[in-house]
């Protein structure tokens, strides 16, 4: 004989489902930096490629700024690691100086 869920259990399942939906929206939509110039896109792609993540883990750039590193102009990006594309578990900061020609 099956036992029916109590009102408390139903409430907890509903809260779990809403929390998971909010996490998915936050991770997929709100965390990512919008596409930028081709130079910044190259910086993003090179950084992600250098981290060599397994297929179940995804990396997104969540913050970007132009700064100065060792007296030279540089790109600074904050990258976040996700399991299955939704569960954040770590951050990585990358800095790349820009050469005199304007290319990183």
């Amino acid at each position: 004989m099956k036992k029916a869920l109590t009102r408390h259990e139903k409430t907890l399942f509903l809260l779990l489902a809403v929390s998971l939906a909010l996490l998915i929206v936050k991770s997929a939509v709100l965390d990512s930096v919008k596409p930028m110039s081709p130079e910044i896109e190259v910086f993003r792609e090179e950084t992600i490629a250098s981290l060599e993540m397994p297929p179940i883990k995804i990396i997104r750039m969540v913050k970007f700024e132009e700064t100065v590193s060792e007296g030279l102009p540089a790109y600074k990006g904050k990258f976040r690691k996700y399991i299955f594309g939704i569960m954040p578990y770590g951050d990585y900061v990358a800095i790349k100086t820009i050469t005199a020609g304007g290319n990183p």
Side-chain angles (χ1 to χ4, degrees):
M1 195 183 292
K2 279 189 166 181
K3 178 185 167 197
L5 294 177
T6 65
R7 182 176 178 188
H8 180 71
E9 291 170 334
K10 289 178 185 177
T11 303
L12 288 177
F13 277 125
L14 180 63
L15 286 174
L16 177 65
V18 169
S19 298
L20 184 59
L22 288 174
L23 178 63
I24 291 170
V25 168
K26 177 209 156 289
S27 296
V29 178
L30 301 178
D31 276 354
S32 297
V33 172
K34 304 300 178 235
M36 297 185 179
S37 71
E39 296 85 13
I40 298 169
E41 185 62 24
V42 168
F43 165 69
R44 184 188 71 79
E45 289 175 4
E46 287 175 352
T47 303
I48 290 173
S50 71
L51 295 175
E52 298 179 8
M53 297 300 294
I56 64 167
K57 297 179 182 177
I58 294 174
I59 301 173
R60 291 190 188 104
M61 184 164 62
V62 295
K63 186 176 180 183
F64 175 82
E65 63 183 82
E66 293 186 37
T67 186
V68 176
S69 176
E70 299 175 7
L72 297 171
Y75 294 143
K76 180 180 179 183
K78 181 177 179 183
F79 295 82
R80 186 161 294 144
K81 301 171 187 175
Y82 296 88
I83 296 175
F84 302 115
I86 58 169
M87 181 64 74
Y89 74 95
D91 290 343
Y92 175 78
V93 176
I95 299 174
K96 187 169 191 173
T97 57
I98 304 169
T99 60
N103 295 325

